[in-house]
Amino acid sequence: MTALIQVILLLAGFAALLKGADLLVDGAVGFARRFHIPTLVIGMTIVAFGTSAPEAAVSITAAMEGNSAISVSNIIGSNLFNLLAVGGICALIRPLTVKRISVIRDYPFHLVITAALLVMFCDPFLGTGAPFLSRGDGLILLLLMGMYMYMNIKDGMGGDGHEEPAENISVPKSLLFLVLGLAGVIVGGRLVVDSSTVLARMMGISDTLIGLTVVALGTSLPELVTSAVACRKGEADLAWGNIVGSNIFNILFVLGFSALLSPIGIDMLSIYDTAVLLIVSVLVYLAAAPAKKISRPIGGAMLAAYLVYAVYIILR
């Protein structure tokens, strides 16, 4: 009976995720078009921050409880999943067109902060002891977050007006869809993680493997489902903005705030994973920037790369 209840909760979680993502995309697009805000900006702010709520909850709670090392593994793992798996799946559904502003500003900014994070991790090797993310590092990340938000708000207020006016979706309805959609993806993701964890333990799967697979995947489900639904509806800007924006939010706000609460000790595996994240981020940029597009073959390669990485982290 317990297993049956968990299966029902699992299915309910997936249903909430799918419906929530559907409402979230409709609300975000309606809101953006009504106020002539580029859909990419909405994807990189409201939608990205909302779908990153599970990562924020896990990492910040871990920091408050003194288990701040979990913050790093959760964030780096989620960012790799977002970029390679979510980006790859979206490109397979519909080739992703990457706007010029993303090529020259947003994605390079993502590369710079990922490189900066790796430098912060390795800085103590210069003579100050074991690697860690200090409160000072956290403050720097949060200040960069403020700068990033300012850039996006400025872009939003100076919308070029090229978005078509929304049809049949009023501002109150768009906001209602946004709120209900965010609630759906967050609650649905939580149900999927909790029920999957219980079922995995009932099958005798270790907590370590559960953490590396079920929990890591579960906290990234909102990004995956929301971006996939956006692609299916032809909203590539929203999908790409959600992926890049979520990764930026994870590094700058979630890790920054976690480090501000409690300095984070860094193990060598996290440093290796961050280096992998930086390398694959550069490769994706080099593949997508010339044509301003992520084609299906590139998407397939991205997804295959993530599957190889997933096997590696499970076996190591």
Side-chain angles (χ1 to χ4, degrees):
M1 183 61 70
T2 302
L4 178 60
I5 292 173
Q6 296 304 323
V7 170
I8 292 172
L9 290 174
L10 180 65
L11 295 175
F14 276 118
L17 265 172
L18 291 171
K19 186 58 181 176
D22 195 55
L23 289 173
L24 181 57
V25 170
D26 286 345
V29 172
F31 187 81
R33 289 179 176 172
R34 182 67 68 175
F35 289 98
H36 306 292
I37 300 172
T39 312
L40 179 67
V41 172
I42 294 294
M44 297 193 72
T45 52
I46 297 173
V47 176
F49 299 169
T51 56
S52 290
E55 286 97 331
V58 169
S59 296
I60 293 174
T61 299
M64 292 176 67
E65 293 176 351
N67 298 320
S68 54
I70 295 175
S71 302
V72 177
S73 58
N74 178 44
I75 292 306
I76 301 305
S78 293
N79 279 17
L80 278 163
F81 181 85
N82 289 343
L83 181 63
L84 295 178
V86 178
I89 290 170
C90 285
L92 288 174
I93 294 173
R94 186 189 296 264
L96 286 172
T97 300
V98 182
K99 283 196 171 179
R100 182 173 179 273
I101 188 64
S102 186
V103 171
I104 65 174
R105 190 195 71 183
D106 296 317
Y107 197 85
F109 183 69
H110 168 254
L111 293 177
V112 168
I113 62 171
T114 303
L117 186 66
L118 185 59
V119 171
M120 288 177 179
F121 287 172
C122 296
D123 183 61
F125 286 134
L126 299 178
T128 57
F132 72 99
L133 202 61
S134 68
R135 285 191 170 93
D137 293 331
L139 182 59
I140 291 171
L141 294 176
L142 289 174
L143 289 174
L144 287 172
M145 182 70 203
M147 183 182 76
Y148 170 72
M149 284 299 300
Y150 172 77
M151 290 190 303
N152 276 283
I153 291 172
K154 185 179 178 181
D155 275 358
M157 293 177 67
D160 57 15
H162 291 164
E163 298 283 359
E164 296 177 2
E167 296 180 2
N168 303 322
I169 301 183
S170 64
V171 173
K173 191 172 182 180
S174 294
L175 289 174
L176 179 62
F177 280 6
L178 276 171
V179 172
L180 291 178
L182 284 172
V185 296
I186 292 170
V187 172
R190 185 73 261 169
L191 278 174
V192 169
V193 171
D194 290 346
S195 56
S196 298
T197 300
V198 172
L199 288 170
R201 284 175 178 160
M202 290 174 67
M203 291 186 287
I205 299 175
S206 70
D207 285 351
T208 300
L209 187 55
I210 291 171
L212 287 170
T213 54
V214 175
V215 176
L217 174 62
T219 56
S220 295
L221 273 177
E223 287 94 338
L224 172 59
V225 178
T226 301
S227 292
V229 169
C231 278
R232 184 176 58 81
K233 293 189 172 193
E235 298 292 344
D237 281 352
L238 189 65
W240 181 246
N242 182 35
I243 293 167
V244 178
S246 292
N247 279 14
I248 292 172
F249 179 81
N250 284 344
I251 291 175
L252 297 185
F253 179 78
V254 179
L255 276 185
F257 193 69
S258 297
L260 203 61
L261 289 175
S262 174
I264 301 173
I266 310 297
D267 59 25
M268 287 304 300
L269 288 179
S270 292
I271 293 176
Y272 294 150
D273 290 340
T274 306
V276 170
L277 175 61
L278 179 59
I279 291 168
V280 297
S281 296
V282 170
L283 291 176
V284 170
Y285 181 76
L286 293 176
K292 296 184 177 61
K293 178 181 180 181
I294 299 179
S295 63
R296 283 193 172 95
I298 294 174
M302 290 164 64
L303 183 58
Y306 181 77
L307 294 175
V308 170
Y309 168 78
V311 171
Y312 161 70
I313 63 172
I314 290 171
L315 295 178
R316 71 184 180 188

